[in-house]
């Protein structure tokens, strides 16, 4: 079964305390942790995809107008958290997804302290594919 693990970061304090404000060594340690985890997931055959995302200041919500042209809104100052990155993993069980989510949640932050950030886990649903 495939699962999507979504890393949510707190928006409050992002510009004053977010990863961009950390000392370089802490940023490097955080990135090394994530890359090492991805290598382990690739080696185990569980990794499907994963990416970090641009900051919330670049987020836009897009909706089609009645004429089909895009209508954009955002960024959204009122949100408490934002999606910072995601993984899609092919796992044997939901329990394994929770184990990996806990590892991600404790990724090192400023000064090496665990971040304990929330990781949302959702099963990727399969459905009929369009004929090609």
């Amino acid at each position: 079964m495939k699962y999507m693990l979504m890393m949510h970061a707190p928006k409050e304090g992002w510009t004053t305390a977010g990863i961009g404000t950390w000392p370089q060594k802490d940023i490097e340690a955080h990135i090394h942790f994530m890359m090492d985890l991805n290598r382990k997931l690739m080696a185990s055959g569980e990794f499907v995809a994963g990416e970090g995302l641009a900051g919330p200041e670049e987020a836009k919500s897009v909706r089609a107008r009645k004429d089909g042209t895009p209508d954009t809104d955002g960024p959204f100052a009122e949100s408490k958290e934002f999606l910072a990155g995601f993984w899609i993993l092919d796992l044997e069980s939901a329990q394994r997804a929770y184990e990996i989510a806990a590892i991600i949640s404790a990724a090192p932050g400023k000064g090496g302290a665990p971040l304990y950030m929330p990781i949302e886990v959702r099963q990727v649903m399969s459905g009929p594919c369009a004929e090609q």
Side-chain angles (χ1 to χ4, degrees), residues 41-106:
L41 293 169
M42 286 177 200
S44 69
E46 297 172 312
F47 186 88
V48 175
E51 297 291 341
L53 301 174
E57 65 279 358
E58 297 183 36
K60 298 284 185 203
S61 179
V62 180
R63 182 183 316 249
R65 294 183 182 110
K66 292 191 187 285
D67 66 1
T69 60
D71 183 19
T72 62
D73 193 11
F76 302 98
E78 67 274 6
S79 64
K80 292 181 182 177
E81 296 179 339
F82 66 94
L83 184 61
F86 68 92
W87 289 259
I88 296 178
L89 305 175
D90 193 356
L91 305 169
E92 291 294 320
S93 67
Q95 185 59 40
R96 177 67 178 141
Y98 304 149
E99 291 168 2
I100 295 168
I103 292 167
I104 296 167
S105 175

Side-chain angles (χ1 to χ4, degrees), residues 3 5 11 14 22 24 44 65 77 80 99 109 112 118 122:
Y3 292 88
L5 282 61
K11 191 161 184 191
W14 177 249
W22 298 356
Q24 186 64 34
S44 69
R65 294 183 182 110
K80 292 181 182 177
E99 291 168 2
R122 296 178 64 184

Side-chain angles (χ1 to χ4, degrees), residues 10-35:
K11 191 161 184 191
E12 184 177 331
W14 177 249
T15 57
T16 58
I19 191 170
T21 66
W22 298 356
Q24 186 64 34
K25 67 179 179 61
D26 293 342
I27 294 171
E28 290 172 5
H30 182 79
I31 291 170
H32 176 75
F33 174 91
M34 293 299 182
M35 292 177 73

